[in-house]
Amino acid sequence: MDRLYQLLQSRIEGQVLTPDEFHPAILTNFGNLFHGAPRLSVSPAGAADVIATIAFAREQGLTVSTRGAGHSQSRLAISDGGILLSMGSMRRVLSVDRAASTVDVEAGVVWRDLVRHLEPDRLVPPVLTNNLGVTVGGTLSIAGIGVASFRYGTQGDNVRELDVVTGTGELVTCDRKRNADLFWGALAGLGQVGVITRARLDLRKFKPMTRTYFLLYRDLPSFLDDAKRAMDGGRFDAIESWGSPCPQGLKPVAGRMQPFARWFYPVHLTVEFDPAHPPDDEEVLRGLHPFERLYVDDVPSVEFFERMIPVFDLWKRGGTWQHVHAWIEAVLPWERAADVVESVLPDLPPSILVGGHVLLWPAKGNSSQSRLFMRPPGEDLLGFGVLPAVPSRYWETARPMLENLGRLTEVMGGKRYLSGYLDWPEERWREHFGDQWTPFCALKRRYDPASILNPGFVVFPSSTAGSTPRPAPAAAAPARD
Amino acid sequence: MALEFGTPEWAQALVQAINASSEYRNSGSAWGVGFNGNVLFAFEAGGALTKPLYLLLRLQGGRSSGAEFVPGPSHPDAGFTLRAPYPLWREILGGKTLAATAILMGRMKVEGNTVALLKYAGAHRSLVHCVSSLDTRYP
């Protein structure tokens, strides 16, 4: 028995696990690319346990990595030789303030559970991620983007207040005025300045029903034109769109026969409504010019919020959930978006999108105030995500293409969304954060001076790190299909 | 019989390979249409290449109208110039490194509209395949 186990277990109310008790899933994350075995795993019962764990880690010279649902794909939510804080144990919805339209939750609350909890009051967080099986603390640490982000920004933009345990073990309540630097450093801060233990989230009233218009576009320019009209009109509550391949057979690519596709662009435009006042379809769609109107779907709003659950279940049943997920997601400047998308899709084998897809998300740059959620300048932006599920035996074949795609988005002026696959040296981090890099490094020095929180992902300059050695990175070797 | 890299015969064989390639005809069909698609490939001295070589390849609409090794590091007919040390070119032609990777990571220098070049990455990959399909005696 690890001598540290009893020491730590005696100090906390939650559960401490040793390697012989680990579930194999905690040795990697959704990406299935990076692997690491923590020395101990802690399921905290509350903020006091997080404080005690961080204090313990500092005493023992260990690192602390946080894990929500483990949906990240790079060196996040895994630990190699340190303590893994499994935040899923802190999953209480603490209180709902109906008058103020806010809810207080522990960081390990899963969004799906929160949606169900709030349903009787017809309240919902303004922005929901597509995958509702992830945690509040997890997505706030990345940014949190959804089909309503073009209106409401990131999930982090809809936070009133946070409790954060810093890397020095101090519990700090922060908001836009109190300890504002920590507040903005925790939101989209990749867990580098503290562990979010509680969040007070904004809520909005939703109408009981949604109507979704399934539109199809056959070329990118007409899709982009209408996407902009849809965002600007103020008439839609959600906009969701993709690139959808229609396989055409095989063609030679660099001498090897490879499947290729003609790409189409489905768009789902959604409005909420009261059944007594259904939307006027012609009025709602006025000015839009799709190739085809395919379908109109009326569902209860909560069913709409949860619409992706059956899709993810299908991927799980189909086995692709276990594949390598090296998602390349980026926010592109509008004027470069077509160049990027049209240079990528023609040679993208549609087969790698079994259990994945290509996302195209129109967005508004001015909808977010987040400091660390980096996006290009400009009012109109396009989120572009190639979200493949790659059998591990094909990973090395797919890797150069996906890495080039990531780099291409950056060269074209885009900014990467950081829950996906990336493995950057320090200069790429500096490039990504731009003028926020120096403030981010300063926050790291101030709130995590020993550099114990979530090591191995963000590469800070050596002057930022404290005395704790950075653990060796886990090998990028997929374990299984 | 293997052709010697850097000779007029090799350049002529490359033109024939490009024009016989349905892969390039498709992927490069829009390359050079409405803009100058001629590319000057600058093989900078390094490794086994003791003197630099410059290949001007004339490309338009999925076909090549000619190729020649030219004396200088620039040419008035070139719309784009790609410069890299010879060992890197060998990696690319051997399929060990993607040209797009070399460009994106700054290992290969581009003169011309990089965005246009990257937009047609598939066409350039086909070109590389045409080159690598030649039976070549490299330095």
Side-chain angles (χ1 to χ4, degrees), chain B residues 20-100:
Chain B
S21 166
S22 65
E23 179 184 352
Y24 185 72
R25 196 158 51 248
N26 283 283
S27 59
S29 62
W31 177 258
V33 178
F35 63 94
N36 180 357
N38 297 339
V39 183
L40 182 69
F41 296 89
F43 301 85
E44 294 173 341
L49 189 70
T50 53
K51 289 183 179 173
L53 284 172
Y54 305 101
L55 172 67
L56 178 66
L57 187 57
R58 299 177 190 277
L59 297 165
Q60 186 180 36
R63 291 187 61 81
S64 172
S65 61
E68 57 190 306
F69 283 93
V70 296
S74 61
H75 194 282
D77 290 353
F80 297 83
T81 301
L82 301 179
R83 295 184 194 283
Y86 180 69
L88 176 56
W89 280 114
R90 291 290 284 126
E91 281 181 36
I92 292 168
L93 297 177
K96 292 177 183 165
T97 298
L98 292 174

Side-chain angles (χ1 to χ4, degrees), chain A residues 251-256 258 336 338-339 342-344 347 400-401 403-405 407-409 411-412 428, chain B residues 22-23 26-27 98-106 114-116 118-123 125-126 129:
Chain A
K251 71 173 183 181
V253 173
R256 285 190 302 192
Q258 179 177 295
R336 285 279 177 85
D339 281 338
E342 287 181 336
S343 70
V344 170
D347 285 339
M401 181 184 68
E403 289 182 345
N404 275 355
L405 165 57
R407 186 63 184 158
L408 175 68
T409 62
V411 168
M412 295 292 214
R428 296 276 293 277
Chain B
S22 65
E23 179 184 352
N26 283 283
S27 59
L98 292 174
T101 304
I103 293 169
L104 289 165
M105 300 310 291
T114 307
V115 172
L118 292 171
K119 190 172 170 180
Y120 294 96
R125 204 164 42 225
S126 304
H129 179 62

Side-chain angles (χ1 to χ4, degrees), chain A residues 60-106:
Chain A
Q60 300 295 333
L62 295 171
T63 60
V64 176
S65 300
T66 47
R67 182 184 180 94
H71 198 69
S72 294
Q73 294 152 45
S74 296
R75 292 186 172 101
L76 282 174
I78 49 178
S79 169
D80 201 16
I83 297 175
L84 186 69
L85 262 179
S86 296
M87 298 299 290
S89 54
M90 291 178 62
R91 54 175 178 267
R92 289 177 298 169
V93 177
L94 300 168
S95 61
V96 179
D97 185 334
R98 291 167 184 79
S101 287
T102 60
V103 61
D104 279 29
V105 296
E106 290 186 322

